[in-house]
Amino acid sequence: MAFPAPPATSINYLLDALAALYDGGKYSDLTITCNYRQWAVHKAVLCSRSGFFDGACSNPFAEASSGIIDLSEDDQEAVEQMIQYFYHLDYLNEPEQPRATVFRHRALSDARRRMPKKLDLSQCHDPLLEAAGVYAPGPATPPISATSPTDSSSFFDSNEKAPRSPGKRAKTPPLMADDGSDYESYDEEDELPEDESHLILHTRVYALAEKYDIPSLKALARSKFETAMACHYDSPELPEAIEEVYCSTIDNDRGLRDIVLDLFRYHTQLVHTPDIFTVIKGTPTLAMELFKVERGLPV
């Protein structure tokens, strides 16, 4: 008999409760250490997802009696993301700082309404420029009013006679939101900064999941690596990530290696880049597999 799937709200509630258990550290009965970092974790959570931790805590090993497992031989950031996965079923998922978009837009609109009028620097008396003979100060002329009737020809003529200001254009002052917090001025058309690829991190998390027998984390790291490789194939991390793939996985583990070969199939120009070419020369297995791909042979 098939049971209906639990509603999404129930799943979210369980995930929130699990995350709160990790954040608070309550009832923790195991400590993971890596160099100078420590994490208070729970055996029931780790052992249910990892064959390694299940064996370390179940058998009469030193880790089982001391309640401390030292993973200092592994990459510290990868270990942290592995522990994040145990409690969030995901990694690289730290919540971002909330953005007060309502106040931000209100502040921008208020700033636009309070835009200062353009300064007429031609009427400023600068004794240094006058001594240098740049211009001779003349009688002040009243500024053109926005409501006064003027034709377009007189407007451009006045602009042509006015000297240019020797200084640079001032930047827009920072905006002040209603709550007093500062916001940097920006244009809505500006592109958002591109996210980091995390190619190397996904590679190390994949290797860590293989090492500690966490199949679900291994599949997740492969999926994230594939997406990052497709979106950031021009990333500066790409050469090191490719080398990491072939140094941290065995030959018959095709999870990440097939993704790397597909990348070369779709972007053949990568072979001619100096950094990638150096990695190929220093990695005989990769060079052989690329040779097979070029000849249409099975890898």
Side-chain angles (χ1 to χ4, degrees):
M1 179 179 178
F3 294 95
T9 54
S10 300
I11 297 176
N12 293 336
Y13 178 79
L14 290 175
L15 290 176
D16 291 343
L18 194 62
L21 188 66
Y22 167 69
D23 294 336
K26 193 175 183 179
Y27 307 121
S28 62
D29 51 3
L30 186 66
T31 301
I32 302 295
T33 64
C34 183
N35 299 324
Y36 299 103
R37 292 290 305 277
Q38 290 186 352
W39 297 271
V41 295
H42 305 79
K43 294 180 181 178
V45 176
L46 270 64
C47 295
S48 61
R49 294 189 173 93
S50 167
F52 168 82
F53 290 106
D54 185 23
C57 296
S58 301
N59 297 315
F61 295 139
E63 293 82 0
S65 58
S66 64
I68 300 175
I69 297 181
D70 187 10
L71 305 181
S72 297
E73 295 182 355
D74 301 310
D75 181 74
Q76 179 174 305
E77 188 176 2
V79 171
E80 180 179 5
Q81 300 304 325
M82 177 186 68
I83 297 176
Q84 287 285 333
Y85 170 78
F86 283 137
Y87 290 88
H88 297 274
L89 299 183
D90 196 4
Y91 66 91
L92 288 178
N93 61 341
E94 295 182 1
E96 299 179 354
Q97 295 294 331
R99 301 175 61 184
T101 56
V102 175
F103 297 103
R104 186 185 185 93
H105 291 307
R106 186 186 304 171
L108 287 173
S109 61
D110 292 343
R112 293 190 182 101
R113 288 195 297 266
R114 297 191 299 266
M115 285 290 291
K117 297 181 179 180
K118 185 181 294 186
L119 298 177
D120 188 2
L121 298 180
S122 63
Q123 308 304 324
C124 297
H125 178 72
D126 192 332
L128 295 179
L129 293 178
E130 181 182 356
V134 175
Y135 69 92
T141 57
I144 299 176
S145 174
T147 58
S148 61
T150 57
D151 57 354
S152 59
S153 59
S154 62
F155 174 75
F156 288 109
D157 290 342
S158 64
N159 284 345
E160 291 176 357
K161 295 178 181 178
R164 294 182 180 180
S165 172
K168 297 183 179 180
R169 186 177 64 179
K171 296 183 179 180
T172 305
L175 303 178
M176 296 296 295
D178 294 347
D179 57 355
S181 58
D182 293 339
Y183 289 100
E184 295 181 357
S185 61
Y186 76 106
D187 293 330
E188 295 179 356
E189 293 79 10
D190 291 346
E191 294 181 0
L192 296 177
E194 188 176 357
D195 294 337
E196 296 181 4
S197 63
H198 302 293
L199 286 170
I200 299 175
L201 178 60
H202 295 320
T203 304
R204 292 173 179 173
V205 171
Y206 181 92
L208 210 63
E210 168 65 21
K211 179 179 180 180
Y212 294 121
D213 191 14
I214 315 172
S216 53
L217 176 58
K218 186 177 178 180
L220 178 62
R222 183 190 184 279
S223 176
K224 288 180 177 289
F225 180 80
E226 184 176 18
T227 302
M229 188 72 78
C231 299
H232 304 280
Y233 62 89
D234 55 349
S235 169
E237 289 188 2
L238 181 61
E240 186 178 352
I242 293 176
E243 185 177 13
E244 187 88 18
V245 167
Y246 279 83
C247 293
S248 62
T249 60
I250 57 179
D251 292 343
N252 59 356
D253 188 342
R254 307 302 312 174
L256 301 186
R257 296 191 180 197
D258 288 341
I259 297 175
V260 172
L261 296 181
D262 287 340
L263 180 71
F264 284 107
R265 289 189 182 99
Y266 299 142
H267 304 282
T268 56
Q269 75 278 5
L270 291 175
V271 180
H272 303 289
T273 58
D275 293 339
I276 298 295
F277 186 72
T278 301
V279 173
I280 295 174
K281 288 177 58 179
T283 313
T285 305
L286 173 60
M288 178 59 67
E289 291 185 356
L290 289 177
F291 173 79
K292 292 181 178 180
V293 169
E294 184 183 4
R295 300 299 179 182
L297 302 175
V299 178

PDB file of all heavy atoms in Angstrom, residues 174-200:
ATOM      1  N   PRO A 174      25.792  59.016  -0.519  1.00  0.00           N
ATOM      2  CA  PRO A 174      25.065  57.835  -0.062  1.00  0.00           C
ATOM      3  C   PRO A 174      23.661  58.189   0.370  1.00  0.00           C
ATOM      4  O   PRO A 174      23.408  59.252   0.934  1.00  0.00           O
ATOM      5  CB  PRO A 174      25.922  57.327   1.116  1.00  0.00           C
ATOM      6  CG  PRO A 174      26.695  58.521   1.563  1.00  0.00           C
ATOM      7  CD  PRO A 174      26.943  59.328   0.331  1.00  0.00           C
ATOM      8  N   LEU A 175      22.758  57.259   0.116  1.00  0.00           N
ATOM      9  CA  LEU A 175      21.365  57.472   0.456  1.00  0.00           C
ATOM     10  C   LEU A 175      21.105  57.083   1.901  1.00  0.00           C
ATOM     11  O   LEU A 175      21.751  56.204   2.454  1.00  0.00           O
ATOM     12  CB  LEU A 175      20.476  56.645  -0.471  1.00  0.00           C
ATOM     13  CG  LEU A 175      20.666  56.903  -1.976  1.00  0.00           C
ATOM     14  CD1 LEU A 175      19.764  55.988  -2.771  1.00  0.00           C
ATOM     15  CD2 LEU A 175      20.357  58.352  -2.294  1.00  0.00           C
ATOM     16  N   MET A 176      20.152  57.752   2.490  1.00  0.00           N
ATOM     17  CA  MET A 176      19.769  57.458   3.856  1.00  0.00           C
ATOM     18  C   MET A 176      18.360  56.909   3.844  1.00  0.00           C
ATOM     19  O   MET A 176      17.435  57.528   3.323  1.00  0.00           O
ATOM     20  CB  MET A 176      19.811  58.735   4.702  1.00  0.00           C
ATOM     21  CG  MET A 176      21.220  59.329   4.821  1.00  0.00           C
ATOM     22  SD  MET A 176      22.346  58.238   5.693  1.00  0.00           S
ATOM     23  CE  MET A 176      21.578  58.246   7.307  1.00  0.00           C
ATOM     24  N   ALA A 177      18.195  55.705   4.390  1.00  0.00           N
ATOM     25  CA  ALA A 177      16.884  55.104   4.468  1.00  0.00           C
ATOM     26  C   ALA A 177      16.110  55.706   5.630  1.00  0.00           C
ATOM     27  O   ALA A 177      16.644  56.462   6.442  1.00  0.00           O
ATOM     28  CB  ALA A 177      16.999  53.585   4.634  1.00  0.00           C
ATOM     29  N   ASP A 178      14.838  55.326   5.711  1.00  0.00           N
ATOM     30  CA  ASP A 178      13.995  55.881   6.754  1.00  0.00           C
ATOM     31  C   ASP A 178      14.469  55.492   8.147  1.00  0.00           C
ATOM     32  O   ASP A 178      14.240  56.199   9.117  1.00  0.00           O
ATOM     33  CB  ASP A 178      12.552  55.404   6.554  1.00  0.00           C
ATOM     34  CG  ASP A 178      11.967  55.982   5.270  1.00  0.00           C
ATOM     35  OD1 ASP A 178      12.585  56.913   4.718  1.00  0.00           O
ATOM     36  OD2 ASP A 178      10.898  55.501   4.839  1.00  0.00           O
ATOM     37  N   ASP A 179      15.121  54.309   8.239  1.00  0.00           N
ATOM     38  CA  ASP A 179      15.557  53.870   9.563  1.00  0.00           C
ATOM     39  C   ASP A 179      16.942  54.365   9.920  1.00  0.00           C
ATOM     40  O   ASP A 179      17.502  53.978  10.943  1.00  0.00           O
ATOM     41  CB  ASP A 179      15.528  52.332   9.648  1.00  0.00           C
ATOM     42  CG  ASP A 179      16.381  51.688   8.569  1.00  0.00           C
ATOM     43  OD1 ASP A 179      16.910  52.444   7.706  1.00  0.00           O
ATOM     44  OD2 ASP A 179      16.517  50.461   8.602  1.00  0.00           O
ATOM     45  N   GLY A 180      17.534  55.207   9.068  1.00  0.00           N
ATOM     46  CA  GLY A 180      18.845  55.776   9.380  1.00  0.00           C
ATOM     47  C   GLY A 180      20.013  54.984   8.855  1.00  0.00           C
ATOM     48  O   GLY A 180      21.153  55.411   8.989  1.00  0.00           O
ATOM     49  N   SER A 181      19.806  53.823   8.258  1.00  0.00           N
ATOM     50  CA  SER A 181      20.911  53.024   7.756  1.00  0.00           C
ATOM     51  C   SER A 181      21.341  53.542   6.397  1.00  0.00           C
ATOM     52  O   SER A 181      20.555  54.097   5.647  1.00  0.00           O
ATOM     53  CB  SER A 181      20.493  51.553   7.645  1.00  0.00           C
ATOM     54  OG  SER A 181      19.381  51.430   6.793  1.00  0.00           O
ATOM     55  N   ASP A 182      22.645  53.365   6.086  1.00  0.00           N
ATOM     56  CA  ASP A 182      23.203  53.867   4.843  1.00  0.00           C
ATOM     57  C   ASP A 182      23.038  52.832   3.748  1.00  0.00           C
ATOM     58  O   ASP A 182      23.176  51.635   3.973  1.00  0.00           O
ATOM     59  CB  ASP A 182      24.698  54.172   5.014  1.00  0.00           C
ATOM     60  CG  ASP A 182      24.890  55.336   5.967  1.00  0.00           C
ATOM     61  OD1 ASP A 182      23.935  56.127   6.159  1.00  0.00           O
ATOM     62  OD2 ASP A 182      25.989  55.441   6.523  1.00  0.00           O
ATOM     63  N   TYR A 183      22.791  53.303   2.546  1.00  0.00           N
ATOM     64  CA  TYR A 183      22.742  52.449   1.374  1.00  0.00           C
ATOM     65  C   TYR A 183      23.605  53.094   0.309  1.00  0.00           C
ATOM     66  O   TYR A 183      23.592  54.315   0.135  1.00  0.00           O
ATOM     67  CB  TYR A 183      21.315  52.307   0.823  1.00  0.00           C
ATOM     68  CG  TYR A 183      20.413  51.482   1.694  1.00  0.00           C
ATOM     69  CD1 TYR A 183      19.505  52.088   2.561  1.00  0.00           C
ATOM     70  CD2 TYR A 183      20.472  50.100   1.641  1.00  0.00           C
ATOM     71  CE1 TYR A 183      18.669  51.322   3.361  1.00  0.00           C
ATOM     72  CE2 TYR A 183      19.632  49.332   2.434  1.00  0.00           C
ATOM     73  CZ  TYR A 183      18.739  49.941   3.280  1.00  0.00           C
ATOM     74  OH  TYR A 183      17.919  49.185   4.063  1.00  0.00           O
ATOM     75  N   GLU A 184      24.327  52.290  -0.416  1.00  0.00           N
ATOM     76  CA  GLU A 184      25.135  52.808  -1.493  1.00  0.00           C
ATOM     77  C   GLU A 184      24.253  53.113  -2.692  1.00  0.00           C
ATOM     78  O   GLU A 184      23.318  52.384  -2.992  1.00  0.00           O
ATOM     79  CB  GLU A 184      26.215  51.783  -1.890  1.00  0.00           C
ATOM     80  CG  GLU A 184      27.220  51.518  -0.793  1.00  0.00           C
ATOM     81  CD  GLU A 184      28.258  50.531  -1.239  1.00  0.00           C
ATOM     82  OE1 GLU A 184      28.134  50.041  -2.384  1.00  0.00           O
ATOM     83  OE2 GLU A 184      29.168  50.245  -0.455  1.00  0.00           O
ATOM     84  N   SER A 185      24.569  54.201  -3.364  1.00  0.00           N
ATOM     85  CA  SER A 185      23.790  54.550  -4.547  1.00  0.00           C
ATOM     86  C   SER A 185      24.114  53.585  -5.660  1.00  0.00           C
ATOM     87  O   SER A 185      25.245  53.142  -5.824  1.00  0.00           O
ATOM     88  CB  SER A 185      24.127  55.976  -4.977  1.00  0.00           C
ATOM     89  OG  SER A 185      25.499  56.082  -5.308  1.00  0.00           O
ATOM     90  N   TYR A 186      23.133  53.234  -6.459  1.00  0.00           N
ATOM     91  CA  TYR A 186      23.321  52.297  -7.550  1.00  0.00           C
ATOM     92  C   TYR A 186      22.270  52.555  -8.594  1.00  0.00           C
ATOM     93  O   TYR A 186      21.238  53.171  -8.339  1.00  0.00           O
ATOM     94  CB  TYR A 186      23.231  50.854  -7.058  1.00  0.00           C
ATOM     95  CG  TYR A 186      21.837  50.383  -6.770  1.00  0.00           C
ATOM     96  CD1 TYR A 186      21.188  49.494  -7.627  1.00  0.00           C
ATOM     97  CD2 TYR A 186      21.157  50.857  -5.638  1.00  0.00           C
ATOM     98  CE1 TYR A 186      19.895  49.086  -7.358  1.00  0.00           C
ATOM     99  CE2 TYR A 186      19.869  50.439  -5.374  1.00  0.00           C
ATOM    100  CZ  TYR A 186      19.246  49.555  -6.227  1.00  0.00           C
ATOM    101  OH  TYR A 186      17.970  49.137  -5.977  1.00  0.00           O
ATOM    102  N   ASP A 187      22.549  52.121  -9.776  1.00  0.00           N
ATOM    103  CA  ASP A 187      21.598  52.186 -10.860  1.00  0.00           C
ATOM    104  C   ASP A 187      20.946  50.828 -11.006  1.00  0.00           C
ATOM    105  O   ASP A 187      21.598  49.783 -10.893  1.00  0.00           O
ATOM    106  CB  ASP A 187      22.305  52.569 -12.173  1.00  0.00           C
ATOM    107  CG  ASP A 187      22.837  53.992 -12.106  1.00  0.00           C
ATOM    108  OD1 ASP A 187      22.219  54.819 -11.391  1.00  0.00           O
ATOM    109  OD2 ASP A 187      23.863  54.256 -12.752  1.00  0.00           O
ATOM    110  N   GLU A 188      19.649  50.831 -11.280  1.00  0.00           N
ATOM    111  CA  GLU A 188      18.938  49.567 -11.393  1.00  0.00           C
ATOM    112  C   GLU A 188      19.432  48.761 -12.577  1.00  0.00           C
ATOM    113  O   GLU A 188      19.256  47.548 -12.621  1.00  0.00           O
ATOM    114  CB  GLU A 188      17.437  49.841 -11.532  1.00  0.00           C
ATOM    115  CG  GLU A 188      16.834  50.491 -10.295  1.00  0.00           C
ATOM    116  CD  GLU A 188      15.349  50.762 -10.481  1.00  0.00           C
ATOM    117  OE1 GLU A 188      14.838  50.501 -11.603  1.00  0.00           O
ATOM    118  OE2 GLU A 188      14.718  51.237  -9.531  1.00  0.00           O
ATOM    119  N   GLU A 189      20.074  49.444 -13.568  1.00  0.00           N
ATOM    120  CA  GLU A 189      20.556  48.717 -14.734  1.00  0.00           C
ATOM    121  C   GLU A 189      21.891  48.030 -14.473  1.00  0.00           C
ATOM    122  O   GLU A 189      22.335  47.224 -15.291  1.00  0.00           O
ATOM    123  CB  GLU A 189      20.706  49.672 -15.922  1.00  0.00           C
ATOM    124  CG  GLU A 189      19.386  50.227 -16.447  1.00  0.00           C
ATOM    125  CD  GLU A 189      18.871  51.367 -15.570  1.00  0.00           C
ATOM    126  OE1 GLU A 189      19.635  51.823 -14.700  1.00  0.00           O
ATOM    127  OE2 GLU A 189      17.714  51.785 -15.750  1.00  0.00           O
ATOM    128  N   ASP A 190      22.562  48.350 -13.369  1.00  0.00           N
ATOM    129  CA  ASP A 190      23.855  47.738 -13.082  1.00  0.00           C
ATOM    130  C   ASP A 190      23.706  46.247 -12.899  1.00  0.00           C
ATOM    131  O   ASP A 190      22.773  45.764 -12.259  1.00  0.00           O
ATOM    132  CB  ASP A 190      24.476  48.355 -11.815  1.00  0.00           C
ATOM    133  CG  ASP A 190      24.880  49.784 -12.061  1.00  0.00           C
ATOM    134  OD1 ASP A 190      24.932  50.200 -13.232  1.00  0.00           O
ATOM    135  OD2 ASP A 190      25.135  50.483 -11.062  1.00  0.00           O
ATOM    136  N   GLU A 191      24.658  45.506 -13.402  1.00  0.00           N
ATOM    137  CA  GLU A 191      24.628  44.056 -13.272  1.00  0.00           C
ATOM    138  C   GLU A 191      25.033  43.645 -11.865  1.00  0.00           C
ATOM    139  O   GLU A 191      25.907  44.248 -11.242  1.00  0.00           O
ATOM    140  CB  GLU A 191      25.566  43.422 -14.295  1.00  0.00           C
ATOM    141  CG  GLU A 191      25.135  43.633 -15.738  1.00  0.00           C
ATOM    142  CD  GLU A 191      26.079  42.963 -16.712  1.00  0.00           C
ATOM    143  OE1 GLU A 191      27.050  42.347 -16.234  1.00  0.00           O
ATOM    144  OE2 GLU A 191      25.843  43.038 -17.926  1.00  0.00           O
ATOM    145  N   LEU A 192      24.413  42.613 -11.365  1.00  0.00           N
ATOM    146  CA  LEU A 192      24.755  42.093 -10.050  1.00  0.00           C
ATOM    147  C   LEU A 192      26.077  41.352 -10.122  1.00  0.00           C
ATOM    148  O   LEU A 192      26.425  40.773 -11.150  1.00  0.00           O
ATOM    149  CB  LEU A 192      23.650  41.144  -9.569  1.00  0.00           C
ATOM    150  CG  LEU A 192      22.282  41.795  -9.336  1.00  0.00           C
ATOM    151  CD1 LEU A 192      21.276  40.725  -8.946  1.00  0.00           C
ATOM    152  CD2 LEU A 192      22.352  42.862  -8.278  1.00  0.00           C
ATOM    153  N   PRO A 193      26.852  41.343  -9.040  1.00  0.00           N
ATOM    154  CA  PRO A 193      28.120  40.624  -9.080  1.00  0.00           C
ATOM    155  C   PRO A 193      27.905  39.129  -9.266  1.00  0.00           C
ATOM    156  O   PRO A 193      26.978  38.544  -8.721  1.00  0.00           O
ATOM    157  CB  PRO A 193      28.742  40.932  -7.703  1.00  0.00           C
ATOM    158  CG  PRO A 193      27.589  41.330  -6.840  1.00  0.00           C
ATOM    159  CD  PRO A 193      26.600  42.003  -7.753  1.00  0.00           C
ATOM    160  N   GLU A 194      28.764  38.560 -10.064  1.00  0.00           N
ATOM    161  CA  GLU A 194      28.629  37.136 -10.384  1.00  0.00           C
ATOM    162  C   GLU A 194      29.029  36.285  -9.187  1.00  0.00           C
ATOM    163  O   GLU A 194      30.005  36.570  -8.496  1.00  0.00           O
ATOM    164  CB  GLU A 194      29.505  36.815 -11.593  1.00  0.00           C
ATOM    165  CG  GLU A 194      29.315  35.418 -12.140  1.00  0.00           C
ATOM    166  CD  GLU A 194      30.154  35.198 -13.392  1.00  0.00           C
ATOM    167  OE1 GLU A 194      30.813  36.151 -13.826  1.00  0.00           O
ATOM    168  OE2 GLU A 194      30.142  34.072 -13.914  1.00  0.00           O
ATOM    169  N   ASP A 195      28.279  35.241  -8.967  1.00  0.00           N
ATOM    170  CA  ASP A 195      28.564  34.354  -7.857  1.00  0.00           C
ATOM    171  C   ASP A 195      29.838  33.559  -8.128  1.00  0.00           C
ATOM    172  O   ASP A 195      30.212  33.312  -9.277  1.00  0.00           O
ATOM    173  CB  ASP A 195      27.395  33.392  -7.629  1.00  0.00           C
ATOM    174  CG  ASP A 195      26.147  34.107  -7.172  1.00  0.00           C
ATOM    175  OD1 ASP A 195      26.253  35.208  -6.617  1.00  0.00           O
ATOM    176  OD2 ASP A 195      25.068  33.555  -7.375  1.00  0.00           O
ATOM    177  N   GLU A 196      30.495  33.122  -7.059  1.00  0.00           N
ATOM    178  CA  GLU A 196      31.683  32.301  -7.204  1.00  0.00           C
ATOM    179  C   GLU A 196      31.289  30.916  -7.713  1.00  0.00           C
ATOM    180  O   GLU A 196      30.202  30.422  -7.470  1.00  0.00           O
ATOM    181  CB  GLU A 196      32.399  32.188  -5.868  1.00  0.00           C
ATOM    182  CG  GLU A 196      32.923  33.520  -5.341  1.00  0.00           C
ATOM    183  CD  GLU A 196      33.647  33.364  -4.035  1.00  0.00           C
ATOM    184  OE1 GLU A 196      33.790  32.204  -3.590  1.00  0.00           O
ATOM    185  OE2 GLU A 196      34.058  34.382  -3.457  1.00  0.00           O
ATOM    186  N   SER A 197      32.190  30.279  -8.423  1.00  0.00           N
ATOM    187  CA  SER A 197      31.881  28.975  -9.020  1.00  0.00           C
ATOM    188  C   SER A 197      31.940  27.839  -8.006  1.00  0.00           C
ATOM    189  O   SER A 197      31.197  26.871  -8.125  1.00  0.00           O
ATOM    190  CB  SER A 197      32.872  28.689 -10.156  1.00  0.00           C
ATOM    191  OG  SER A 197      34.196  28.592  -9.645  1.00  0.00           O
ATOM    192  N   HIS A 198      32.835  27.912  -7.027  1.00  0.00           N
ATOM    193  CA  HIS A 198      33.019  26.848  -6.024  1.00  0.00           C
ATOM    194  C   HIS A 198      33.363  25.511  -6.679  1.00  0.00           C
ATOM    195  O   HIS A 198      33.013  24.449  -6.151  1.00  0.00           O
ATOM    196  CB  HIS A 198      31.763  26.682  -5.156  1.00  0.00           C
ATOM    197  CG  HIS A 198      31.354  27.914  -4.425  1.00  0.00           C
ATOM    198  ND1 HIS A 198      32.101  28.468  -3.415  1.00  0.00           N
ATOM    199  CD2 HIS A 198      30.262  28.719  -4.565  1.00  0.00           C
ATOM    200  CE1 HIS A 198      31.499  29.542  -2.950  1.00  0.00           C
ATOM    201  NE2 HIS A 198      30.395  29.726  -3.638  1.00  0.00           N
ATOM    202  N   LEU A 199      34.037  25.542  -7.809  1.00  0.00           N
ATOM    203  CA  LEU A 199      34.379  24.303  -8.500  1.00  0.00           C
ATOM    204  C   LEU A 199      35.286  23.416  -7.641  1.00  0.00           C
ATOM    205  O   LEU A 199      35.067  22.204  -7.541  1.00  0.00           O
ATOM    206  CB  LEU A 199      35.063  24.629  -9.832  1.00  0.00           C
ATOM    207  CG  LEU A 199      34.160  25.152 -10.951  1.00  0.00           C
ATOM    208  CD1 LEU A 199      34.994  25.653 -12.114  1.00  0.00           C
ATOM    209  CD2 LEU A 199      33.192  24.079 -11.398  1.00  0.00           C
ATOM    210  N   ILE A 200      36.289  24.021  -7.037  1.00  0.00           N
ATOM    211  CA  ILE A 200      37.217  23.229  -6.216  1.00  0.00           C
ATOM    212  C   ILE A 200      36.509  22.681  -4.983  1.00  0.00           C
ATOM    213  O   ILE A 200      36.720  21.523  -4.594  1.00  0.00           O
ATOM    214  CB  ILE A 200      38.426  24.091  -5.826  1.00  0.00           C
ATOM    215  CG1 ILE A 200      39.179  24.548  -7.079  1.00  0.00           C
ATOM    216  CG2 ILE A 200      39.354  23.339  -4.894  1.00  0.00           C
ATOM    217  CD1 ILE A 200      40.321  25.498  -6.794  1.00  0.00           C
TER     218      ILE A 200
END
